[in-house]
Amino acid sequence: FRCRGSRRESAVAQLSTFGHESTAMNNNASLELQDVFVLSGVPRHTFVQPVEYTRLLVALRTPGRSIVVEGPSGIGKTTAVVKAIEEAGIAARVLSLSARKKEDVSLIRELPSQLPLGTVIIDDFHRLDDGVKRSIADLMKTLADEGAEHSKVVVLGITNAGQSLISFGKDLANRIEIIPFEANPEFKVAELVSLGERALNVAINVRDEIIRDAQGSFYLAQMLAYHTCIRAGILRTAQPAASTTESYELVKGQVVSTLARSFHDTAVTFARGTKLRREGRAPYLHLLYWLSQSKNWSINADREADRHPEQRGSVSQVVSKGFLSDLIRGSEDIQRVLHFDATNRLLIAQDPQFVFYIRNVSWAQLAEEIGFLSIEFPSRYDFALSFAGSDRDIAEGLFRALQEAELEVFYDRNEQHRILAEDVEEYLKPIYASDAQLVVCILGPEYPKRVWTKFESDHFKQRFKSGEVIPIVLSNAPLGVFDSATKVGFIAWDRAKDFNEQLGLAAEMLLKKCGEIRTRKRGGAEPSAALNAGSANAAPASVS
């Protein structure tokens, strides 16, 4: 850009020196540890070509063909692009921009009006707003149609960046090169470690563990090898040759302790969510845990919820209602390490150091620190609701209140799509017999007259003796309508009184009962002052 000469010259100088520095090493040179196993910037002595490197190089040499390089952070995307640009001989006319920098975003907005461009790299593409993304998509199409000799756009983005561009124009798919960088194979990571060992003249005794735990990330391999050498006192090329004798568990522990200073509070903030609900099923905590188990550092929230039915309702709630997006948008710290693609329901880790931290954190300890009563749930549902259709308003209100508290609630209307084509009786029977930790039966005058309420009660009535059924008795239904309900504590509901006030009190008592059970099962029983349903020594009582 003519008006941005100093910014452009700086970027060009940074890129064009890469090749000269990478050839400076020789076998007799003494190299510093931080220049070999690199924690920031482009590695000069431990560069390894990723599997897709040749494809990237050819695309860079193709006139007018713009490129999307997508994949997790730490895989080696940026390093590969910088090296390929140098090898392609176009480093002298490259401008590198990042969507993380405000001044660069203004330059990105100007790109369509600044032809010819040279080669422009746009990093962190996913952070741009849709309007800018759309203009870049149009620019890529124009460059392809014109076969532009002196203009090319290279987008660096997280997983699915290419699809997000194509969503702005299906005809773009055949005009750009989408190159997915996935986890590198172990032999590539091993090559990186070997290059570092050769440069430092050292044999790393835990190289196999480093290769395994890097899980395809060049960055994580660099970090683990760096800290191993630090512990061994290898700060530069060893003369004579040396070998480390470190315990990998101690190396890993030191790395995790170091990373905790940067990421612990961020992980806690995310896992707590928009509001801590101690009795809830910790949906944010579980999303983070599932992400830590993912090999490609991203998860589809809907797919994970389906894989974990005991978390389905709570996770679907925070995703579908926008709470997850709001949580990430509202915290700069979280945005540095996580991104949520709301369109495709993808939660993506952006920082390889954060990934390593959450892979090695104690999840039970983290949950206890945050304040969750439990993260292990023996029942698929916390509550199952049983009611006649005439009392659906109460059931609907309870379902919404309990779901907002991040509990799992079986409510027929919310499960209709799952019941389709199923044997309804076989589907419902285990839910009321055992799959719900507690059954809430709303006893109105129509309850004993309905076929399905009789069916449901036949399968949960034996659970009164174990304190697992909580009746809500309406004022217009005598207790005799259900004999078992006269023997346990119940919640009284008066149709003549304020609906919302009674709903709030009932939901609060159910939450306390759920919390009491969680605490008791964890080993520290807390008696419930609000509701003593099912106690062997308690007199029948109503709570209003």
Side-chain angles (χ1 to χ4, degrees):
F1 298 97
R2 290 181 294 277
C3 61
R4 310 281 183 147
S6 60
R7 173 71 179 86
R8 185 184 185 109
E9 288 166 9
S10 173
V12 169
Q14 183 182 18
L15 287 164
S16 61
T17 57
F18 175 83
H20 301 294
E21 291 178 349
S22 65
T23 59
M25 183 186 72
N26 60 67
N27 292 334
N28 298 319
S30 180
L31 301 172
E32 299 293 320
L33 170 63
Q34 67 272 17
D35 295 327
V36 175
F37 291 120
V38 178
L39 299 187
S40 62
V42 177
R44 301 190 298 273
H45 310 297
T46 51
F47 172 73
V48 175
Q49 291 185 358
V51 173
E52 297 288 351
Y53 182 80
T54 302
R55 181 180 170 191
L56 172 62
L57 184 61
V58 171
L60 282 168
R61 290 171 172 168
T62 304
R65 193 159 184 84
S66 294
I67 305 166
V68 177
V69 182
E70 63 179 23
S73 299
I75 292 296
K77 303 189 302 294
T78 303
T79 298
V81 168
V82 170
K83 179 60 178 173
I85 283 174
E86 188 272 330
E87 187 173 341
I90 59 175
R93 46 192 177 88
V94 171
L95 178 64
S96 182
L97 303 173
S98 172
R100 288 182 182 269
K101 301 176 182 178
K102 290 184 179 179
E103 63 272 21
D104 284 6
V105 172
S106 65
L107 289 174
I108 294 170
R109 292 180 185 277
E110 296 175 17
L111 288 177
S113 61
Q114 294 288 340
L115 295 174
L117 301 171
T119 298
V120 178
I121 300 172
I122 304 176
D123 203 357
D124 296 306
F125 183 77
H126 60 278
R127 295 177 69 93
L128 297 171
D129 63 53
D130 285 350
V132 178
K133 289 179 181 177
R134 185 182 298 277
S135 70
I136 296 301
D138 291 341
L139 173 61
M140 288 177 158
K141 181 181 175 182
T142 299
L143 296 179
D145 290 344
E146 296 178 354
E149 291 284 343
H150 303 294
S151 298
K152 185 183 294 290
V153 176
V154 181
V155 165
L156 299 179
I158 55 179
T159 303
N160 219 44
Q163 187 59 43
S164 69
L165 262 173
I166 293 173
S167 68
F168 294 114
K170 301 299 182 184
D171 53 352
L172 188 62
N174 296 323
R175 290 176 166 87
I176 62 175
E177 194 78 21
I178 299 177
I179 305 177
F181 272 49
E182 299 177 348
N184 298 288
E186 284 196 351
F187 76 86
K188 288 284 186 181
V189 180
E191 182 183 348
L192 183 154
V193 177
S194 295
L195 287 172
E197 288 178 311
R198 195 176 309 139
L200 293 171
N201 201 25
V202 64
I204 297 177
N205 67 304
V206 293
R207 70 187 315 275
D208 290 344
E209 289 89 341
I210 289 173
I211 293 165
R212 179 199 66 209
D213 272 10
Q215 292 194 355
S217 166
F218 286 153
Y219 182 88
L220 291 180
Q222 299 265 12
M223 181 179 70
L224 291 168
Y226 173 91
H227 283 280
T228 301
C229 291
I230 286 284
R231 285 187 60 86
I234 307 294
L235 305 183
R236 59 186 57 84
T237 302
Q239 295 294 343
S243 298
T244 66
T245 57
E246 299 305 307
S247 159
Y248 180 69
E249 289 305 314
L250 290 178
V251 171
K252 185 165 69 171
Q254 178 177 320
V255 171
V256 172
S257 295
T258 300
L259 295 178
R261 291 195 286 270
S262 299
F263 299 121
H264 177 74
D265 289 348
T266 304
V268 168
T269 299
F270 180 86
R272 179 181 288 119
T274 53
K275 180 181 179 182
L276 177 62
R277 295 171 171 86
R278 298 174 68 246
E279 302 87 356
R281 295 220 167 188
Y284 300 97
L285 179 78
H286 282 85
L287 283 167
L288 197 61
Y289 173 73
W290 298 334
L291 182 63
S292 76
Q293 303 301 300
S294 171
K295 290 185 178 180
N296 63 359
W297 305 7
S298 67
I299 57 171
N300 181 289
D302 290 342
R303 196 170 300 134
E304 289 297 327
D306 287 338
R307 287 179 54 206
H308 301 86
E310 70 281 2
Q311 299 294 140
R312 183 187 290 130
S314 58
V315 168
S316 297
Q317 157 106 345
V318 301
V319 171
S320 63
K321 293 190 175 181
F323 300 149
L324 177 60
S325 295
D326 292 344
L327 175 64
I328 295 176
R329 279 198 301 265
S331 169
E332 284 292 334
D333 286 339
I334 295 177
Q335 286 183 47
R336 291 188 185 99
V337 297
L338 295 173
H339 173 72
F340 183 61
D341 178 348
T343 302
N344 297 290
R345 303 293 181 96
L346 287 176
L347 180 63
I348 304 165
Q350 300 191 80
D351 190 318
Q353 296 179 89
F354 182 71
V355 171
F356 190 82
Y357 176 71
I358 62 175
R359 281 178 180 166
N360 292 282
V361 74
S362 168
W363 289 94
Q365 184 176 335
L366 184 66
E368 185 174 355
E369 177 186 344
I370 294 170
F372 291 114
L373 295 180
S374 173
I375 56 170
E376 296 180 359
F377 309 102
S379 301
R380 178 177 174 183
Y381 298 99
D382 295 299
F383 295 97
L385 303 179
S386 178
F387 59 94
S390 56
D391 299 316
R392 182 173 291 278
D393 57 338
I394 299 175
E396 178 84 21
L398 286 173
F399 168 70
R400 294 190 182 282
L402 295 173
Q403 190 186 50
E404 287 177 5
E406 297 172 0
L407 297 177
E408 291 291 322
V409 183
F410 177 80
Y411 172 57
D412 62 349
R413 184 166 285 177
N414 197 52
E415 302 272 345
Q416 287 178 353
H417 62 289
R418 297 190 182 96
I419 299 176
L420 285 175
E422 300 283 347
D423 183 318
V424 179
E425 291 189 2
E426 290 301 313
Y427 186 91
L428 295 177
K429 178 180 177 180
I431 293 173
Y432 290 98
S434 60
D435 284 359
Q437 182 172 270
L438 294 167
V439 175
V440 177
C441 53
I442 303 172
L443 303 182
E446 298 298 313
Y447 192 93
K449 303 176 184 178
R450 301 298 179 220
V451 173
W452 281 112
T453 51
K454 183 180 186 306
F455 169 82
E456 293 162 4
S457 63
D458 283 345
H459 290 98
F460 69 69
K461 62 184 179 183
Q462 77 280 2
R463 302 180 66 186
F464 274 95
K465 295 179 180 179
S466 56
E468 296 173 347
V469 180
I470 301 175
I472 296 180
V473 182
L474 275 61
S475 56
N476 56 347
L479 282 179
V481 76
F482 202 12
D483 292 340
S484 300
T486 64
K487 302 175 182 177
V488 299
F490 61 89
I491 298 174
W493 188 289
D494 191 339
R495 279 289 189 184
K497 294 183 178 179
D498 184 88
F499 180 91
N500 290 327
E501 182 180 350
Q502 293 182 93
L503 178 64
L505 290 172
E508 182 181 355
M509 285 188 284
L510 293 174
L511 282 172
K512 289 181 178 179
K513 186 64 178 179
C514 184
E516 174 201 317
I517 293 174
R518 295 266 180 84
T519 303
R520 187 167 63 230
K521 289 187 176 181
R522 196 174 62 174
E526 286 181 357
S528 172
L531 185 63
N532 197 7
S535 172
N537 298 318
S542 67
V543 184
S544 56

